[in-house]
């Protein structure tokens, strides 16, 4: 237990109470940021002559000695006290006792979460781009692979596997943008807000903000310590991403079922049953699907915690932080699993030999009557529906349809005299021709999907460049902090 905050207002405290209340278990992730914050803060205090440069140098040297990977003493309350304790151990209370001038754990913790989060978001974005790239690679192999699309989970119309994959790539692109758009609001600096009302010391908030690589000061000090909308916003973006990932996992689970038979999961991603030897179960995808629910749960738990919280800092805020880390790590791990799976996925290229799937071309049969025989669409929809019913009643495939049957049904169901040619029927119920003819923008025609893929590949290249730039901006800020610290550390001698 730390005695830094004992023996004043509060005398003794119970170990079990500290343990219950502490955030130390999930603070390890913040240690690196907390060290940097202290370094930037001391640098600023020294530049402002709030502490003299000799003491500033001693503090900076002590801070620089703390290993950012050091395991935190789990008996302490939190990372903030852990760092202060460590500095005091090295330089004594006379010098170390001024480390906390003009700051509070309240501004410090929000700053540390923001610093850690902005890097995590960039890393997650990088993983999303990798997943998009795996999906593009897979799609390029399947621009001609016919598969059924589904509405209501019943076969709808023929598409290609690549067409389906572009849908995922595009949803991921929107998630990517959403995450990127949260960064400016994450990347604001609360330091200097103190506990709630700033400080009477002549601090320079702009300088701390700059040294820590933030793009802006989070100005109002009450807002700075008491707001977590940046965190909720990230959790919300993660939740939307999780929903898309979960649906992707769900699709793969359904398609890999032998009843559907559209894909075959790589063996290294499947598990068998302990009793049923024939089983090849999609366990990985089921875990992905379940964990994505937890991401939604974390958002709901955090939003609920916030909604009736009085302004300013309350310790409730502490309880949000582990939810954030859990969500971002869970989503990241699932994105990696899906990327790896996509690299190894086998797709059934002959699924349309299943007779029942051929019924999914009947929209085109209805279109045929409109295009070539001048029948209004609503009427042709009725005629073709009636033919389908007759064929199904007789247990026949769509290919079992004859011009005679179609012409007779037209007469019986709509009172129309038709003389449809067999060749026309054959063409319109061919799934390959169906897909080729659906070449409107965004459709499954191979040429259209190839065009989309080319464009999506370009987008991933742009994302990679932008991510590199954002990462190097943070690295530059780190360098700037290091050299500022170095400048004062030298004065110690
Ligand atoms: N452990 C706390 C957190 O994670 C740090 C801030 C504590 N502030 C306080 N006034 N008790 O939010």
């Amino acid at each position: 237990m730390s005695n830094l905050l004992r023996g004043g207002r509060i005398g003794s405290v119970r170990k079990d109470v500290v343990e219950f209340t502490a955030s130390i278990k999930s603070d390890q992730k913040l240690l690196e940021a907390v060290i940097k914050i202290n370094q930037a803060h001391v640098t600023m205090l020294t530049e402002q002559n709030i502490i003299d440069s000799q003491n500033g140098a001693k503090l900076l040297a002590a801070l620089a000695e703390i290993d950012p990977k050091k395991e935190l003493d789990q008996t302490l309350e939190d990372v903030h006290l852990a760092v202060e304790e460590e500095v005091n151990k090295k330089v004594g209370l006379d010098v170390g006792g001024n480390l906390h001038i003009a700051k509070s754990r309240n501004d410090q913790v929000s700053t540390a979460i923001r610093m850690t989060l902005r890097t995590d978001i960039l890393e997650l974005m990088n993983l999303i781009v990798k997943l998009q790239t795996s999906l593009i690679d897979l799609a390029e192999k399947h621009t001609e692979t016919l598969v059924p699309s589904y509405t209501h989970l019943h076969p709808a119309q023929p598409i290609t596997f690549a067409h389906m994959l572009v849908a995922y790539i595009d949803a991921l692109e929107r998630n990517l943008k959403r995450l990127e758009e949260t960064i400016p609001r994450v990347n604001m600096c609360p330091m200097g807000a103190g506990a709630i009302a700033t400080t009477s010391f002549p601090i320079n908030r702009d300088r701390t903000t700059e040294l820590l690589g933030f793009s802006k000061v989070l100005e109002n000090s009450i807002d700075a310590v008491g707001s977590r909308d940046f965190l909720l916003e990230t959790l919300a973006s993660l939740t939307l991403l999780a929903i898309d990932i979960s649906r992707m996992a769900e699709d793969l689970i359904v398609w890999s079922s032998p009843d559907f038979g559209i894909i075959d999961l790589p063996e290294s991603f499947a598990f068998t049953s302990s009793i049923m030897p024939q089983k090849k179960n999609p366990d990985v995808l089921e875990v992905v699907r379940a964990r994505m629910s937890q991401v939604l749960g974390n958002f709901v738990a955090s939003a609920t915690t916030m909604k009736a919280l009085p302004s300013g800092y309350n310790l409730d805020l502490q309880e949000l932080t582990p939810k954030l880390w859990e969500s971002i790590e869970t989503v990241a791990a699932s994105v990696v699993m899906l990327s790896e799976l996509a690299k190894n996925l086998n797709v059934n290229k002959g699924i349309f030999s299943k007779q029942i799937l051929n019924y999914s071309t009947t929209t085109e049969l209805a279109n045929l009557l409109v295009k070539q025989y001048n029948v209004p669409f609503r009427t042709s929809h009725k005629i073709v529906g009636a033919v389908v019913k007759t064929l199904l009643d007789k247990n026949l495939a769509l290919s079992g349809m004859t011009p005679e049957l179609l012409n007779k049904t037209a007469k019986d169901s709509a009172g129309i005299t038709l003389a449809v040619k067999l060749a026309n029927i054959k063409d319109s119920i061919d799934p390959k021709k169906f897909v080729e003819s659906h070449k409107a923008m965004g459709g499954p025609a191979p040429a259209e999907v190839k065009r989309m893929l080319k464009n999506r590949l370009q987008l991933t290249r742009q994302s990679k460049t932008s991510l590199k730039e954002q990462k190097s901006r943070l690295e530059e800020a780190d360098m700037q902090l290091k050299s500022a610290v170095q400048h004062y550390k030298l004065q110690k001698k």
Side-chain angles (χ1 to χ4, degrees), residues 40 176 415 458 492:
L176 193 70
Q458 195 54 36
K492 191 184 163 194

Side-chain angles (χ1 to χ4, degrees), residues 5 21-24 26-27 30 77-80 104-110 113 195 228 313-322:
L5 304 182
T21 317
S23 62
I24 195 82
S26 52
D27 276 357
L30 294 179
E77 265 174 59
D78 60 29
V79 60
H80 315 286
S104 153
R105 287 182 289 174
N106 299 355
D107 55 355
Q108 190 161 296
V109 74
S110 177
I113 299 168
R228 288 292 184 274
Y313 186 87
N314 303 269
L315 203 56
D316 312 47
L317 295 177
Q318 162 183 292
E319 299 303 294
L320 267 51
T321 320

Side-chain angles (χ1 to χ4, degrees), residues 94-128:
D94 277 351
V95 179
N98 282 334
L99 181 63
H100 211 60
I101 282 180
K103 71 178 170 69
S104 153
R105 287 182 289 174
N106 299 355
D107 55 355
Q108 190 161 296
V109 74
S110 177
T111 310
I113 299 168
R114 289 163 183 275
M115 286 172 68
T116 312
L117 181 57
R118 66 189 179 191
T119 310
D120 275 13
I121 291 177
L122 290 180
E123 272 165 21
L124 176 62
M125 286 173 66
N126 198 31
L127 294 176
I128 294 173

Side-chain angles (χ1 to χ4, degrees), residues 411-423:
K411 190 89 212 157
D412 294 350
S413 64
I416 289 181
T417 308
L418 281 181
V420 181
K421 294 193 197 88
L422 180 63

Side-chain angles (χ1 to χ4, degrees), residues 37 40-41 43-45 47-48 50 102-103 106-108 110-111 114 188-227:
I37 292 167
H41 185 71
T43 301
M44 179 277 291
L45 292 179
E47 288 171 355
Q48 297 293 106
I50 297 169
K103 71 178 170 69
N106 299 355
D107 55 355
Q108 190 161 296
S110 177
T111 310
R114 289 163 183 275
M188 297 172 93
C189 185
M191 281 311 286
I196 190 162
T198 70
T199 175
S200 58
F201 286 101
I203 59 169
N204 179 351
R205 292 191 69 190
D206 283 323
R207 179 65 172 145
T208 319
T209 297
E210 183 197 8
L211 284 170
L212 293 174
F214 283 102
S215 49
K216 253 179 139 177
V217 176
L218 187 56
E219 207 174 78
N220 180 287
S221 62
I222 306 162
D223 182 37
V225 295
S227 66

Side-chain angles (χ1 to χ4, degrees), residues 146 148 150 155 254-263 348-361 396-399 429 431:
L146 299 175
Y150 293 88
V254 169
W255 296 341
S256 71
S257 156
D259 288 339
F260 283 75
I262 292 173
I263 55 167
N348 181 353
K349 293 194 170 177
I351 194 71
F352 271 92
S353 61
K354 274 192 185 180
Q355 297 281 19
I356 190 70
L357 290 182
N358 278 67
Y359 279 104
S360 63
T361 58
L396 287 172
L398 190 63
S399 54
I429 64 172

